[in-house]
Amino acid sequence: MFKLKHAVLCASLALCGAASYAADPIKVGIALDISGPFAALGAEARDGFNLAIEQLGSKLGGVDAEFLQTDFAGNPEQVNQLVSRYIQRDKVDFFTGPIGSNAALAAGPALFAAKVPYLSNNPGPSQYAGKQCNAFFFGHYQNDTYDEAAGVVANQAGYGNMVILAPNYPAGRDHLGGFKRTYTGKVADEIYTKVGQIDYAAEIAQIRAAKPDAVFIFLPGAMGINFIKQYVAAGLKDVPLVAPGFSADEDVIHAVGDSMLGLRNTAHWTHDLENPANEKFVDAFRKKYDGRYPSVYAAMAYDVLMAMNAAVEQVGGDVSDREAVIAALAKAEYDSVRGPFQYGANHYPIQNYYLRVVEKDGSGRMTNIRKSTVLENHQDAYVAECQMS
């Protein structure tokens, strides 16, 4: 309920901002992955969230906000419990996190039923892009799109025979599906591993037997770190790897070392994109976090809160009108670190995807360097299946 005193004052003076209209703080539920199979990625996202919260002064659209950060350890069953608590006890106005697509699929139904806007800071499952699309879900990318770009990169490199590999869960299946959608060569073998797997001796033996020109992997975080180390140790360094950015981001690069140099990967964002919002973000992140470059996970987490901030401002701080909030979010009228983009009919972005190559920057630090735009203003493959009312 609005504060009567402030409402009267604003009516008489027309000088009050959005903050004057909210009696209670806006509440944002953030499901983190600080432990579990995506812990390193969850830590990156947490750092992106916290930088945004600091820059926003713990407000959204000028209104006081509470950011409820809770670790659910990468467990879809626990995220279900967490979401129920956020909805029933905490009465959250927005939800974001977690890292895994399986957890996103578990979190969605209760949030959609309660009309809580869910802004994904990472997963973009195909289900929410197509037949299970929902007005209250906003993706940052659709899983397949990173790999559609990677398939184009593999074609351009002339790799005619490849092995492809990913964990056996919704994102893994999406990522390999996306790669196969654009790759025109032969898939010699398609390998699925366990989520959180750390020993890849059997899979590497399969790869060796297939004698591919190159290998495509989607193995985020610790899975990618362990695989690449074992792959190189097994003497396969001369068989190139191609990956979506999640398997070749800052966490993987610095854990693996020089063996990452030259690895091609694709992403919808990179720290050397030239736009003012991104330059501000990267500079602030490096100052806050001991000079390290932000990963795509940190960038997306930061961007999600900036999107919320713009939407709250556009609705004058009144987040009780959920349809108005959704309409404001759908406009995507804020300075995104990825640059200008728009949402498709399924609330997944139409945006660019880039080729990045792991190299050393001017100071000798290994990082991803943007090389080209692989897909321009690209929409996911599932939008025609979405019948959003």
Side-chain angles (χ1 to χ4, degrees):
M1 183 176 292
F2 301 149
K3 291 183 177 179
L4 179 60
K5 180 171 67 176
H6 283 177
V8 171
L9 183 61
C10 287
S12 60
L13 298 180
L15 294 175
C16 295
S20 300
Y21 292 92
D24 299 315
I26 294 169
K27 293 184 179 180
V28 180
I30 303 176
L32 294 175
D33 291 75
I34 302 305
S35 58
F38 303 114
L41 319 180
E44 287 283 330
R46 175 202 60 204
D47 290 347
F49 285 131
N50 287 340
L51 176 60
I53 292 166
E54 179 182 291
Q55 290 188 354
L56 293 169
S58 294
K59 295 178 183 292
L60 286 175
V63 179
D64 288 339
E66 292 181 10
F67 299 90
L68 309 174
Q69 301 187 43
T70 309
D71 180 26
F72 78 106
N75 185 326
E77 292 181 5
Q78 286 184 227
V79 80
N80 240 330
Q81 297 168 14
L82 175 61
V83 166
S84 294
R85 189 163 72 244
Y86 277 160
I87 294 170
Q88 295 169 16
R89 186 192 70 185
D90 299 315
K91 312 294 184 186
V92 296
D93 300 293
F94 294 95
F95 176 83
T96 188
I99 297 296
S101 287
N102 51 352
L105 290 168
L111 292 164
F112 304 155
K115 295 189 174 182
V116 174
Y118 177 3
L119 281 72
S120 176
N121 68 293
N122 181 58
S126 56
Q127 292 88 339
Y128 290 165
K131 293 179 181 178
Q132 296 178 40
C133 67
N134 192 282
F136 285 86
F137 183 84
F138 290 84
H140 219 97
Y141 65 93
Q142 195 278 313
N143 289 341
D144 301 37
T145 52
Y146 267 56
D147 319 284
E148 290 164 358
V152 172
V153 168
N155 295 336
Q156 292 171 345
Y159 301 144
N161 181 45
M162 294 186 68
V163 171
I164 62 177
L165 182 146
N168 190 10
Y169 77 120
R173 295 188 289 275
D174 280 352
H175 280 276
L176 293 195
F179 183 81
K180 290 186 292 183
R181 188 172 292 117
T182 58
Y183 176 58
T184 57
K186 175 186 176 183
V187 176
D189 203 352
E190 182 171 342
I191 302 171
Y192 286 96
T193 65
K194 294 180 180 179
V195 175
Q197 185 169 323
I198 59 173
D199 183 357
Y200 293 94
E203 289 81 7
I204 289 170
Q206 282 182 254
I207 292 168
R208 190 190 303 277
K211 299 180 180 179
D213 298 332
V215 176
F216 173 77
I217 61 168
F218 167 67
L219 290 167
M223 291 180 283
I225 293 167
N226 282 286
F227 175 85
I228 296 171
K229 285 182 175 180
Q230 292 165 37
Y231 185 85
V232 172
L236 292 176
K237 189 177 188 303
D238 292 336
V239 182
L241 293 173
V242 179
F246 311 114
S247 304
D249 219 330
E250 297 299 311
D251 57 316
V252 180
I253 290 171
H254 298 290
V256 173
D258 286 352
S259 298
M260 294 291 294
L261 289 169
L263 196 154
R264 294 179 176 92
N265 65 97
T266 50
H268 78 291
W269 172 89
T270 181
H271 64 74
D272 53 1
L273 281 177
E274 296 171 347
N275 68 69
N278 192 52
E279 290 166 356
K280 174 187 173 183
F281 161 65
V282 173
D283 182 62
F285 189 95
R286 298 194 73 188
K287 286 178 179 176
K288 183 174 177 65
Y289 298 114
D290 300 321
R292 83 177 196 270
Y293 286 110
S295 67
V296 71
Y297 299 99
M300 290 189 292
Y302 176 92
D303 220 31
V304 155
L305 294 192
M306 292 303 171
M308 290 181 192
N309 179 66
V312 173
E313 187 172 346
Q314 289 168 32
V315 298
D318 180 11
V319 295
S320 64
D321 186 345
R322 295 295 169 83
E323 279 69 27
V325 171
I326 292 302
L329 288 167
K331 293 177 183 177
E333 291 180 353
Y334 71 103
D335 293 328
S336 170
V337 297
R338 78 194 95 172
F341 75 97
Q342 61 181 337
Y343 284 113
N346 56 358
H347 287 175
Y348 276 78
I350 301 169
Q351 60 192 359
N352 293 346
Y353 292 83
Y354 306 96
L355 168 63
R356 312 187 304 181
V357 178
V358 179
E359 296 180 352
K360 292 186 178 180
D361 67 8
S363 66
R365 183 182 179 89
M366 279 198 305
T367 190
N368 278 300
I369 304 299
R370 177 170 50 97
K371 296 297 181 180
S372 65
T373 302
V374 181
L375 299 174
E376 189 170 352
N377 294 324
H378 184 62
Q379 171 78 70
D380 65 89
Y382 301 95
V383 63
E385 299 174 14
C386 173
Q387 302 297 318
M388 190 182 297
S389 57

